Amino acid sequence: MKSGINLKNVEPNTRIQDDLFRHVNGKWLATIKISDDRASEGVGYELFEQAERQVRAIIEDSAASVESSDEEKKIGALFASFMNTERIEELGIAPIQGYLDKAALINDGDSLLHTLSEFERDGLGGLFSASVYTDHKKSDENILYLSQGGLSLPDEALLP
């Protein structure tokens, strides 16, 4: 029976009692190349990329199958539209022009809050995201958490 512990990165020349981290990870640290588009590397990235490839295959296979349900075909059509970079380039900013126009009208704090709340209502990312979670200091209460917003763009490595 295998233990599940990968010993290929153990550095036997570093004594475990002197530096556990370097003993366990020494060979990995000496050989790993971090991709230019990443800040770090590790099994988490490998698992994420594997899952992304598997999900993509599931979507493409089920959308192409004649036995697919209406929901599967809709998911496949949505994914195909997302991947249609020629059409995306053709449309340019037209699909979001209304939102850009609204943003251009922001001229004070009230209009900023109003516009951001409209964008949040419509499912758009903004300067921040709001979520309700259990309070870290008082677990019997839920509180509002604000966190930094982002673009939520896909990983370019997975695009065709």
Side-chain angles (χ1 to χ4, degrees), residues 14-67:
T14 302
R15 294 180 350 142
I16 195 168
Q17 62 270 39
D18 293 338
D19 189 338
L20 175 62
F21 179 80
R22 297 238 179 253
H23 174 77
V24 174
N25 299 300
K27 287 184 181 176
W28 185 83
L29 291 168
T31 59
I32 190 64
K33 172 161 179 2
I34 298 174
S35 301
D36 292 339
D37 64 338
R38 295 190 179 153
S40 63
E41 186 62 73
V43 70
Y45 281 110
E46 293 173 29
L47 291 173
F48 172 78
E49 288 176 349
Q50 178 183 359
E52 289 288 300
R53 286 189 299 273
Q54 290 171 338
V55 168
R56 182 178 182 161
I58 290 168
I59 291 170
E60 290 175 341
D61 292 347
S62 66
S65 172
V66 294
E67 300 169 0

Side-chain angles (χ1 to χ4, degrees), residues 74-121:
K74 288 177 186 177
I75 291 168
L78 178 64
F79 182 76
S81 71
F82 172 78
M83 299 304 291
N84 187 348
T85 55
E86 290 177 8
R87 176 73 174 145
I88 292 168
E89 291 294 327
E90 177 185 313
L91 291 172
I93 64 169
I96 63 167
Q97 188 62 55
Y99 294 111
L100 295 173
D101 293 344
K102 283 183 181 181
L105 295 174
I106 297 171
N107 58 12
D108 59 21
D110 287 341
S111 62
L112 173 67
L113 291 175
H114 180 76
T115 303
L116 287 178
S117 66
E118 283 184 17
F119 289 178
E120 187 75 24
R121 179 199 65 210

Side-chain angles (χ1 to χ4, degrees), residues 130-151:
S131 304
V132 176
Y133 294 109
T134 305
D135 186 338
H136 294 307
K137 295 182 179 179
K138 195 170 182 189
S139 63
D140 62 339
E141 291 185 13
N142 292 330
I143 62 171
L144 178 69
Y145 282 91
L146 298 177
S147 55
Q148 175 180 329
L151 295 177

